[in-house]
Amino acid sequence: MKVIIAILNADDASTVIQNLMKSGYSVTKLSTTGGFLRAGNVTVLIGVDESQVQAVIDIIGNYSKSRKLVIPTTSEAGIYFYPSMPVEVVVGGATIFVLNTDRFEKV
Ligand code: 2BA
């Protein structure tokens, strides 16, 4: 048994979840926030047999797009913050972790 943790862009999340569920996978959705952009994203937990891991990753990959965002930055000098050059970051598709699970039970 494996647990897949996938961090999705909020704009892709419902399509990814719909397609996972259509393929028969159980999904738990968590509302999360990225530490760098401090913007909302969506984390999903999916428990599957080892043989299903790649199929789940393929579905997530097929429906997650990468996006370029331009974000403002500030520089700090003492107690003052000065606006400086905007920077471009590429966000996503999805960030995926696959974890081993010792035990899975529903009681
Ligand atoms: P955020 O932390 O808000 O990061 C959004 C995007 O900003 C990242 O996209 C990356 O392109 C950029 N970024 C993040 N940290 C940076 C840094 N220190 N310097 C420069 N640019 C930086 P993604 O890599 O696609 O990540 C999307 C979201 O996935 C992240 O949102 C975070 O919530 C999560 N994530 C990514 N890698 C992770 C990791 N190793 N562990 C835990 N969560 C992760």
Side-chain angles (χ1 to χ4, degrees):
M1 185 81 182
K2 301 275 185 183
V3 171
I4 299 170
I5 300 176
I7 302 160
L8 311 172
N9 191 295
D11 295 337
D12 298 328
S14 48
T15 316
V16 170
I17 292 168
Q18 255 174 24
N19 281 282
L20 287 168
M21 296 196 62
K22 210 161 72 184
S23 301
Y25 299 106
S26 291
V27 178
T28 296
K29 174 186 168 197
L30 307 169
S31 296
T32 46
T33 304
F36 185 68
L37 295 180
R38 295 178 202 166
N41 51 29
V42 172
T43 299
V44 288
L45 308 181
I46 309 138
V48 290
D49 284 335
E50 191 161 359
S51 62
Q52 297 172 305
V53 168
Q54 192 55 50
V56 168
I57 291 173
D58 289 344
I59 293 172
I60 295 169
N62 286 342
Y63 296 100
S64 298
K65 302 182 190 78
S66 66
R67 297 167 172 82
K68 283 185 184 162
L69 297 180
V70 177
I71 57 165
T73 58
T74 53
S75 49
E76 191 179 346
I79 58 168
Y80 299 104
F81 287 88
Y82 296 99
S84 69
M85 290 295 289
V87 293
E88 189 176 88
V89 291
V90 178
V91 185
T95 301
I96 300 172
F97 302 88
V98 180
L99 281 65
N100 290 322
T101 307
D102 288 338
R103 187 163 157 173
F104 171 70
E105 296 208 24
K106 288 184 176 174
V107 293

